[in-house]
Every structure is written in structure tokens, then in C-alpha cells.
Amino acid sequence: MDPAVARFAERMIEGTPIDVVAEYYPAFDDHDKTEALARFAGLPVLVLAGVDDLVTPSEHSEGIAGLLPEAELVLVPDAGHLVMLEHPEVVTDRLADLLTRAGAVPAGDTVKGYGSSSTARPG
């Protein structure tokens, strides 16, 4: 991980009061919104995660994608919970393609060079 990203993450964690963490942590076991995924059936969906995410393991993203078979699943190697900061080019590229699939960007176009013709790829 880029040292600047690592320090940013450290500052966020250090700035979070321990009582907030203590109250939030049990929600990890209770938070299951898989029923809500049915609302995304038939819509363009991107499920993107870092392979090395220790907070939300990539298996969770694989499970979501498994419940939405038309979703694009992207697991970014060498990325953790802050994948959008660790590999912004890959995240932007995949979001640009999602915009195209959703019809917000004409097919064949890119978003400032990102999208289907971009070379930004996981790994």
C-alpha cells in the first residue's frame, strides 16, 4: 500500500472514538441486506473489492455477485479496504464502463479516457 494511503487510513482510524468502534463492531454480525439485492436484478451492477480487504473480505463481494449473476465482479489484487484510494485508475475505469452499461455514456465512448478502451485493469 502506498505510504500516503496507509497514513491517511491510520489517521481516520485514530480519529474514530473507541466507543463508536465498540458500538459499530457488533453490526458486522447483524448486518445482512441480501434480500435488498433483489431490487438490483436486471440492472447494471458493479461489485468491486480489494482481494486483501481485511475488513470486508472479498468473499462477501463474491457472494453478492453470486446473487446478481449479471453483475460485473472485479476483485483487485494488491488492494485492501481502501481499493478506491489504492487503485483509483482501476476503480474509475470500471465505473466508466458501468456508466456505459447503464446508458449514461454512449456505447463506444469513454469517460475522460476511462472505460472499455482504457488499459487500466486489475493486477
Side-chain angles (χ1 to χ4, degrees):
M1 177 184 298
D2 179 296
V5 172
R7 184 64 194 133
F8 175 74
E10 284 176 21
R11 285 194 314 266
M12 283 193 313
I13 292 167
E14 291 166 355
T16 305
I18 192 67
D19 59 319
V20 171
V21 175
E23 289 179 27
Y24 181 76
Y25 190 75
F28 283 124
D29 288 333
D30 299 335
H31 187 79
D32 183 357
K33 300 294 183 195
T34 53
E35 288 181 25
L37 292 175
R39 304 282 292 173
F40 293 94
L43 296 174
V45 173
L46 169 65
V47 180
L48 188 143
V51 171
D52 300 327
D53 190 335
L54 299 176
V55 178
T56 309
S58 58
E59 290 82 12
H60 289 237
S61 297
E62 291 172 322
I64 290 169
L67 294 170
L68 296 168
E70 295 179 15
E72 176 187 10
L73 173 63
V74 177
L75 299 177
V76 182
D78 300 320
H81 195 64
L82 300 176
V83 63
M84 72 294 292
L85 298 176
E86 296 168 292
H87 294 283
E89 68 290 343
V90 173
V91 174
T92 302
D93 189 62
R94 304 320 314 140
L95 287 172
D97 277 348
L98 176 63
L99 290 172
T100 301
R101 289 196 322 271
V105 174
D109 284 0
T110 63
V111 178
K112 294 189 177 188
Y114 287 96
S116 59
S117 67
S118 171
T119 59
R121 296 288 177 244

